[in-house]
Amino acid sequence: MAFYSYIFSANYKRFAKNLKQVAKKENRSYFLLTLDTYYSILRYGVGLSDYLNYKFYSRSKKERKEYVGIKLQNTFYEKVSPSAYKKRYTLKPTFLKEFSKYTKRDFFLPNESNEQEMINFLNNHKEFMCKPLDGLGGAGVTKIITKNIKDYHEFYHKLLKDHLFLEELVLQHKDLNELCDASVNTIRIMTYNDSGNPIILWAGLRIGNGINPVDNFHAGGMGAEINLETGKLIGPALDKDLNEFPKHPKSKIKIDGFKIPFFNEIKEMVLEASLESDKILLVGWDVAVTPSGPIIIEGNRRPGFDLVQVTSNRGRMDIIREVLDRYEKK
């Protein structure tokens, strides 16, 4: 049911507009592409945006079978990251508290009687991030300069009303800051806890576009896969509309070969963090790199495959097969 709810909630008008552009560019029939879209939804369990993002209109039957669609993800994650244990990952302040060894930053959660705690937080931070308690894809995340808050009491009640919390600003490593200084550029790294022997499945860098204050793929950002051995980016970077960026559009730094600082430390950290739960076995960690080393921003118990498959330019059913093979042998 979750899959069909997802399909029916899609923006059909926007999809139709984008599909018409594809039809024109590829010199294909819009009507036939529409039929193929709905065939793909039923046959391969992909969503409307998946059809465009994964270029299904130009993929062979064999290639299409290798793509992980939203329908398969729902059943897959209920096995390896069941909903019953999601709370510590879904609620961001809960995650910050329970994984404080790895998050290493201050935050404030309003609760009807702790306005003074908020004032203390504001006195300690000249700027900070304001986030929804359980937001996805960077939605609703804003950067706030403390001196611009005119009325602390009014601000406190806005936090309560809109279910927001405050988080210490992360100072990123100079190399990543030079790449894009408008946002914290985070590494998405997927791990699987194989009965106490964690493994890394995939890693990529999410890069801000130089305009928005977040790097999320769904908020105008771009991404590039990371070579797990060398810690270097495999370029070009791509955004959700499949625009390619051999160099960052603002900093002009070359994407291919860009080296992630502290990459070995990043791998060690997420492998250790993955052992914190024997119920949520697969996690997509969002990691920032500070001047002194990596910290975890958040853990996603149901990391999407769009960034993974777009940057890989192929379906990543191999990840699903590897995880299920290990899961069924435990």
Side-chain angles (χ1 to χ4, degrees):
M1 289 297 294
F3 169 66
Y4 292 106
S5 297
Y6 172 81
I7 295 299
F8 292 133
S9 66
N11 187 326
Y12 290 94
K13 184 178 291 187
R14 183 173 62 190
F15 171 76
K17 178 183 176 181
N18 291 337
L19 189 63
K20 285 177 181 177
Q21 291 175 349
V22 170
K24 183 177 181 180
K25 180 180 178 181
E26 301 289 323
N27 195 25
R28 304 271 295 276
S29 163
Y30 170 70
F31 175 72
L32 292 179
L33 285 178
T34 301
L35 292 181
D36 186 52
T37 298
Y38 289 100
Y39 169 76
S40 297
I41 289 172
L42 296 173
R43 176 66 180 83
Y44 301 105
V46 298
L48 292 179
S49 60
D50 294 336
Y51 184 85
L52 297 174
N53 293 342
Y54 302 152
K55 298 182 181 179
F56 253 50
Y57 48 84
S58 64
R59 303 291 184 187
S60 67
K61 181 179 179 180
K62 182 179 179 180
E63 289 174 320
R64 290 181 174 196
K65 285 182 177 180
E66 289 300 305
Y67 275 87
V68 181
I70 189 68
K71 186 176 182 179
L72 173 60
Q73 287 182 59
N74 288 333
T75 55
F76 170 68
Y77 282 128
E78 273 308 302
K79 281 187 176 183
V80 300
S81 296
S83 301
Y85 305 99
K86 69 181 182 179
K87 185 176 179 181
R88 69 195 303 230
Y89 294 89
T90 303
L91 296 176
K92 297 179 187 298
T94 301
F95 179 85
L96 287 168
K97 181 179 179 180
E98 296 200 9
F99 287 84
S100 60
K101 178 180 178 181
Y102 310 103
T103 57
K104 302 177 183 177
R105 61 192 180 280
D106 191 16
F107 69 95
F108 167 74
L109 177 65
N111 67 18
E112 297 288 353
S113 61
N114 63 347
E115 186 171 352
Q116 184 56 50
E117 288 182 31
M118 181 203 73
I119 294 172
N120 294 340
F121 179 93
L122 297 179
N123 287 338
N124 289 329
H125 302 285
K126 293 181 179 180
E127 52 185 355
F128 55 88
M129 301 304 291
C130 184
K131 298 182 176 182
L133 295 182
D134 57 355
L136 295 172
V141 176
T142 56
K143 180 179 176 180
I144 296 178
I145 298 173
T146 304
K147 68 179 182 180
N148 291 339
I149 302 173
K150 304 302 182 185
D151 187 324
Y152 280 10
H153 183 70
E154 181 181 317
F155 181 67
Y156 174 69
H157 284 283
K158 175 177 173 56
L159 298 179
L160 286 169
K161 176 177 175 291
D162 295 343
H163 306 289
L164 302 170
F165 78 102
L166 311 181
E167 185 177 304
E168 179 182 353
L169 199 66
V170 173
L171 178 65
Q172 73 178 335
H173 191 280
K174 64 179 182 62
D175 292 355
L176 289 166
N177 207 54
E178 288 173 2
L179 180 63
C180 177
D181 62 4
S183 63
V184 176
N185 308 293
T186 57
I187 293 95
R188 166 63 62 86
I189 186 162
M190 293 172 65
T191 62
Y192 176 69
N193 181 0
D194 184 16
S195 302
N197 297 297
I199 60 171
I200 293 174
L201 301 167
W202 180 88
L205 179 67
R206 303 188 305 182
I207 312 163
N209 60 10
I211 301 171
N212 296 332
V214 294
D215 62 351
N216 299 70
F217 203 51
H218 294 270
M222 60 195 77
E225 189 173 1
I226 301 172
N227 183 305
L228 292 177
E229 297 300 320
T230 66
K232 294 181 179 181
L233 297 187
I234 304 169
L238 297 101
D239 65 13
K240 205 169 188 301
D241 294 325
L242 305 182
N243 297 307
E244 295 188 358
F245 299 91
K247 296 181 179 179
H248 190 276
K250 296 203 77 174
S251 69
K252 307 304 179 185
I253 290 177
K254 183 181 178 183
I255 301 298
D256 190 56
F258 179 91
K259 187 169 178 59
I260 304 299
F262 291 108
F263 192 65
N264 286 333
E265 289 82 354
I266 291 169
K267 291 191 288 185
E268 291 172 6
M269 180 180 66
V270 296
L271 288 172
E272 181 181 319
S274 70
L275 296 174
E276 294 288 331
S277 174
D278 61 355
K279 301 298 184 183
I280 302 297
L281 302 177
L282 192 150
V283 179
W285 307 97
D286 291 339
V287 175
V289 186
T290 74
S292 58
I295 62 171
I296 291 178
I297 300 298
E298 64 183 20
N300 302 272
R301 70 170 192 92
R302 292 173 60 98
F305 274 76
D306 50 354
L307 177 64
V308 179
Q309 295 181 137
V310 166
T311 57
S312 297
N313 194 29
R314 64 184 177 93
R316 295 309 305 266
M317 194 68 75
D318 58 306
I319 293 176
I320 300 286
R321 284 193 289 264
E322 178 177 3
V323 169
L324 291 180
D325 183 57
R326 291 173 180 270
Y327 178 83
E328 288 161 5
K329 285 180 180 177
K330 72 176 184 176

